[in-house]
Amino acid sequence: MTREGAYFPAGGLVSSALADALAQVYNRFTAVATLAPALVAMEHGVLRWLAKEFGLPEGASGLITTGGSLATLTALVAARDDRLGENFAGGTLYVTEHTHFCVAKAARIAGFPASAVRVVPTRQLRMDSSAAASMIREDRARGFEPFLLVGTAGTTSTGSVDPLAELAEIAAEESLWFHVDGAYGGGLQLTDRGRKRLAGIERADSLVVDPHKSLFLPYGTGVLLVRDTSKLLAAHAGDGHYLQDVHEVDDMPDYGHLGPELTREFRGLRLWLPLHLHGVAAFRAALDEKLDLAELIYRELSADPHFEVPWEPDLSVVVFRLRGDDEDSQRLLDRVNATERIFLSSTRVEGRFFLRMNPTSHRTHVDDVRDALAILRTFAREQ
């Protein structure tokens, strides 16, 4: 397992890299459709296909960004403007301790104080929907304006999936914008197992998925999908006298009006070419392999008395620890990584130290996982 395999790796598919090289050589400006209508149409087609895969309604689309952080900021600003308008003092948003910190960072950039980010308690690593509903009602009674509820489809630490369907219901009842962070786990929507585990994601007002994670594409490839693109347009569109010669092209979007970036390269080809060249079925099969590998890791470690594996993986991340204290697990991690044959990472969950195995890299296969398990067992017996 590679060093990047301990986290969420970019795949670096050659087909995608070649597509991007061609796009860079061609060097067309795609912030407005009139300057490159065919290229914008290709990019728009990929986004509409993705929106359909996630069960979003007809007309849903979005834009390709440099990654989940920019996509999250774009969505949060749209949510702020749609739910709160220009006077957003008192606005509050709801996350958990496991929500990626890019949400809090985006809130800060968007003008919210740290106190506006409410941290909802969790149960079994997932947002407690009852607690979320109570906090929203209590905040509203105290004079605040709840506007955004964030669910995660695959947390960074543990890969856990929040109860998305329950959170979508709360957001609808309380008139909150429902955003789903699927930066890591969203790509697994292409599989039958992933679709079942991400049930409720189709009710999102916005969702983020990073093809440079679970679709094995190069770094710098993020996607924001929204139920209603007019919300992005309302929040981000601008104008200038020098644009008076720019006109709309059919129903093609002007991406410069849907997010903060005004200058952007042609990003659609790096997604379009691999999907058309290899076929969607190849991506489904590769993602199913990653789910199989995670299940293998969970079974093997759970059956070993040296290890504690408290949570069955929702997706492809497995967290575990050596039985004993935190220092024992830290020593095990240090010894494993010192071999330079595999690389594991660690996290803290509920105040305790855990190791992480994440076989999501397109370079990681069953032989790699079995080698990693053998090394873990050897060192565990020696400690």
Side-chain angles (χ1 to χ4, degrees), residues 42-381:
M42 179 183 289
E43 193 162 325
H44 187 47
V46 174
L47 289 165
R48 286 186 299 173
W49 169 77
L50 274 172
K52 185 177 180 180
E53 286 292 319
F54 280 98
L56 295 178
E58 189 71 25
S61 185
L63 72 164
I64 301 173
T65 69
T66 56
S69 295
L70 185 60
T72 299
L73 174 62
T74 304
L76 191 145
V77 170
R80 181 198 69 187
D81 284 18
D82 184 65
R83 293 301 196 266
L84 301 177
E86 293 185 357
N87 182 12
F88 51 86
T92 53
L93 58 146
Y94 300 83
V95 302
T96 75
E97 63 175 308
H98 302 298
T99 304
H100 196 279
F101 72 87
C102 72
V103 176
K105 183 175 182 179
R108 184 170 68 249
I109 294 170
F112 292 97
S115 59
V117 182
R118 303 288 204 255
V119 180
V120 180
T122 59
R123 287 190 298 180
Q124 290 295 306
L125 308 180
R126 301 165 186 87
M127 182 180 284
D128 185 331
S129 55
S130 296
S134 296
M135 289 178 67
I136 291 166
R137 289 192 295 267
E138 290 167 5
D139 279 347
R140 185 170 281 121
R142 294 163 57 204
F144 293 102
E145 292 192 63
F147 77 100
L148 175 65
L149 179 61
V150 180
T152 303
T155 60
T156 303
S157 278
T158 67
S160 300
V161 178
D162 284 331
L164 302 179
E166 295 176 14
L167 299 182
E169 194 64 29
I170 292 169
E173 291 174 356
E174 298 291 341
S175 298
L176 271 63
W177 182 290
F178 182 41
H179 175 76
V180 176
D181 178 2
Y184 145 58
L188 291 156
Q189 177 78 1
L190 295 182
T191 69
D192 289 339
R193 278 176 290 179
R195 194 176 293 268
K196 290 176 182 176
R197 293 169 189 176
L198 302 184
I201 200 169
E202 72 281 355
R203 297 183 63 183
D205 292 296
S206 59
L207 67 93
V208 170
V209 57
D210 274 350
H212 65 212
K213 292 188 176 78
S214 50
L215 290 182
F216 319 117
L217 302 188
Y219 287 122
T221 312
V223 167
L224 170 64
L225 297 174
V226 292
R227 178 172 295 274
D228 183 354
T229 55
S230 70
K231 308 295 187 182
L232 292 183
L233 191 67
H236 297 284
D239 203 359
H241 294 308
Y242 58 87
L243 294 175
Q244 63 188 16
D245 301 312
V246 175
H247 305 289
E248 292 185 0
V249 179
D250 298 326
D251 294 324
M252 291 299 101
D254 289 333
Y255 290 123
H257 293 315
L258 300 183
E261 294 179 286
L262 296 179
T263 299
R264 70 190 302 277
E265 72 275 28
F266 173 40
R267 294 175 183 154
L269 194 60
R270 69 177 72 161
L271 276 79
W272 184 91
L273 184 62
L275 288 166
H276 281 261
L277 184 63
H278 307 299
V280 178
F283 286 88
R284 295 190 204 278
L287 291 166
D288 267 320
E289 178 198 28
K290 306 313 169 190
L291 293 174
D292 289 342
L293 293 178
E295 290 175 5
L296 171 64
I297 294 167
Y298 175 75
R299 287 196 309 271
E300 294 288 319
L301 292 180
S302 296
D304 191 316
H306 293 92
F307 295 101
E308 178 186 348
V309 193
W311 305 287
E312 186 173 355
D314 282 347
L315 300 174
S316 62
V317 176
V318 183
V319 290
F320 62 98
R321 55 185 278 123
L322 199 63
R323 294 193 183 277
D325 55 29
D326 286 355
E327 288 71 22
D328 293 327
S329 292
Q330 179 69 70
R331 282 194 297 272
L332 176 63
L333 177 68
D334 294 340
R335 293 186 68 188
V336 168
N337 288 346
T339 67
E340 298 189 353
R341 291 176 58 191
I342 61 172
F343 183 73
L344 306 183
S345 61
S346 64
T347 187
R348 284 195 172 272
V349 182
E350 298 176 352
R352 297 194 299 163
F353 183 94
F354 282 89
L355 284 73
R356 298 169 70 255
M357 288 185 73
N358 173 30
T360 309
S361 170
H362 75 303
R363 303 180 182 91
T364 299
H365 303 290
V366 66
D367 289 343
D368 303 300
V369 167
R370 292 198 181 281
D371 286 345
L373 290 170
I375 292 171
L376 278 167
R377 290 193 185 100
T378 298
F379 288 150
R381 286 194 297 267

